[in-house]
């Protein structure tokens, strides 16, 4: 084991690595419970485990945008895999991304939450985590409501692309577009969503 109680420690999904490039630090989340689904008010502390210093826990951030299945999409940024991390947060009435420089503590907020990053850390894809909270419980985040909750196939929601350096973003494929492709009558009136995005 690399962590100790009484707090609970976990990381996230199997498609992301907690290790920094040099193999010294592990990323993790720290919570005070593990026996129920997280509520919007529940905070997870984001931290580093230093495997060269007695596995000590070093808090670097915190978030209200997390779940047990995938954590907070916490990961090292490909453009600086030794010293910069990215994770999702709740920013008032919406979810967003947060870039944290571990050494300086400097932070930069992104307008959208991150689902997956390109290998170089310069691009991200995003989805509606509020919608996922309703359609795939355990994979979304508690908190802000889905603005398209009553629309089964919104034209304004879908897969979003974002430039991690500038925050510039755009919808690249909508739920309405996908439903219209190969449409069958069984899809009518059913709520659609995207999940499990990755860069090729």
């Amino acid at each position: 084991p690399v962590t100790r109680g009484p707090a609970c420690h976990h990381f996230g999904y199997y498609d992301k690595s907690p290790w920094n490039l040099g193999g010294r630090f592990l990323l993790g989340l720290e919570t005070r419970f593990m026996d129920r689904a997280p509520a919007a008010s529940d905070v997870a502390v984001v931290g580093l485990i230093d495997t060269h210093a007695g596995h000590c826990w070093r808090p670097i951030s915190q978030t209200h945008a997390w779940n047990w299945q995938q954590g907070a999409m916490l990961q090292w940024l490909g453009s600086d895999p030794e010293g910069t991390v990215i994770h999702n947060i709740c920013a008032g009435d919406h979810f967003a991304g947060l870039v944290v420089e571990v050494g300086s503590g400097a932070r930069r907020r992104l307008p959208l939450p991150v689902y997956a990053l390109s290998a170089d850390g310069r691009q991200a894809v995003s989805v509606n985590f509020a919608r996922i909270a309703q359609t795939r419980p355990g994979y979304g985040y508690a908190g802000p409501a889905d603005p398209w909750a009553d629309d089964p196939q919104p034209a304004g929601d879908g897969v979003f692309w974002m430039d991690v350096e500038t925050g510039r973003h755009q919808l690249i494929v909508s739920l309405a577009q996908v439903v219209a492709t190969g449409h069958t009558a069984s899809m009518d009136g059913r709520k659609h969503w995207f999940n499990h995005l990755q860069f090729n």
Side-chain angles (χ1 to χ4, degrees):
V2 294
T3 59
R4 296 181 293 275
C8 307
H9 298 92
H10 59 105
F11 171 65
Y13 220 45
Y14 60 83
D15 63 338
K16 294 169 177 60
S17 174
W19 293 98
N20 74 325
L21 184 63
R24 174 174 178 171
F25 296 105
L26 280 162
L27 291 172
L29 297 176
E30 182 179 82
T31 60
R32 295 293 164 175
F33 67 94
M34 59 175 292
D35 57 350
R36 61 175 174 80
S41 59
D42 288 320
V43 66
V45 177
V46 177
L48 299 176
I49 300 158
D50 188 343
T51 64
H52 292 188
H55 298 148
C56 68
W57 172 260
R58 177 183 164 195
I60 59 170
S61 185
Q62 67 178 28
T63 182
H64 289 87
W66 63 281
N67 58 51
W68 296 117
Q69 287 285 353
Q70 299 178 313
M73 296 300 183
L74 174 62
Q75 55 199 296
W76 296 94
L77 199 58
S79 55
D80 182 17
E82 289 286 9
T84 302
V85 302
I86 189 169
H87 66 83
N88 291 335
I89 60 171
C90 183
D93 63 353
H94 67 284
F95 297 111
L98 187 68
V99 177
V100 181
E101 293 179 14
V102 173
S104 68
R107 293 151 197 275
R108 179 169 51 88
R109 184 182 293 181
L110 297 170
L112 298 179
V114 169
Y115 198 100
L117 291 171
S118 60
D120 63 6
R122 297 179 186 278
Q123 302 177 71
V125 283
S126 182
V127 293
N128 183 345
F129 283 94
R131 192 174 188 89
I132 295 175
Q134 300 304 311
T135 56
R136 188 73 169 93
Y139 287 81
Y141 302 144
D146 174 13
W148 296 280
D150 297 328
D151 188 339
Q153 52 195 50
D157 190 16
V159 176
F160 293 85
W161 169 88
M162 179 170 60
D163 184 315
V164 176
E165 296 296 319
T166 67
R168 184 171 62 88
H169 59 279
Q170 65 186 57
L171 179 66
I172 56 175
V173 61
S174 74
L175 287 162
Q177 286 175 304
V178 171
V179 171
T181 303
H183 179 268
T184 64
S186 64
M187 299 165 74
D188 293 339
R190 306 210 180 216
K191 186 179 276 192
H192 293 75
W193 73 97
F194 282 111
N195 202 356
H196 299 308
L197 306 181
Q198 286 188 329
F199 274 83
N200 187 329

